[in-house]
Amino acid sequence: MVPEASKGQLRLSVDTVICVVRGERVILDSDLAFIYGVPTGALNRAVKRNEDRFPEDFVFQLTPEEAAALRCQSGISKTRANAGR
C-alpha cells in the first residue's frame, strides 16, 4: 500500500512514463518494473507465468521500428533485450 504522502509523487511518476504506441497509452516493461521495484526480467517472467490473468491485448511486443522510435523520443541510447513488453 502506498502511503498518502507518496500518492501524488507516484501519480506524477506514472504520468511521465506513459507513451502512446499504436494509438494506445502504454507503460514499458522497464518503467513498470522500476515503479514496482523489481528487475525487468522478473516482471516479464511473472507476466509469462500468469498470461491467463491478463486480457489478450494487455501485453504486446514492440516491433523493432516502434522500439527505435521510442528510443529516439525518450533519449534511450542503448538497445535492450525484450524492450517494451
Side-chain angles (χ1 to χ4, degrees), residues 6-79:
S6 299
K7 286 185 181 179
Q9 291 175 323
L10 180 60
R11 168 131 180 136
L12 178 62
S13 297
V14 171
D15 287 345
T16 62
V17 296
I18 294 174
C19 306
V20 177
V21 177
R22 302 179 197 167
E24 299 290 333
R25 291 167 39 108
V26 300
I27 299 177
L28 300 179
D29 58 351
S30 57
D31 293 327
L32 194 58
F34 178 80
I35 290 168
Y36 281 104
V38 298
T40 304
L43 176 76
N44 287 329
R45 286 189 298 276
V47 169
K48 282 184 181 183
R49 276 195 312 272
N50 296 287
E51 285 180 352
D52 58 326
R53 294 184 179 194
F54 300 100
E56 191 173 308
D57 63 347
F58 186 77
V59 177
F60 62 89
Q61 183 73 41
L62 295 177
T63 65
E65 295 80 16
E66 290 168 333
L70 284 175
R71 278 193 299 278
C72 289
Q73 290 174 10
S74 65
I76 298 171
S77 60
K78 65 178 185 174
T79 303

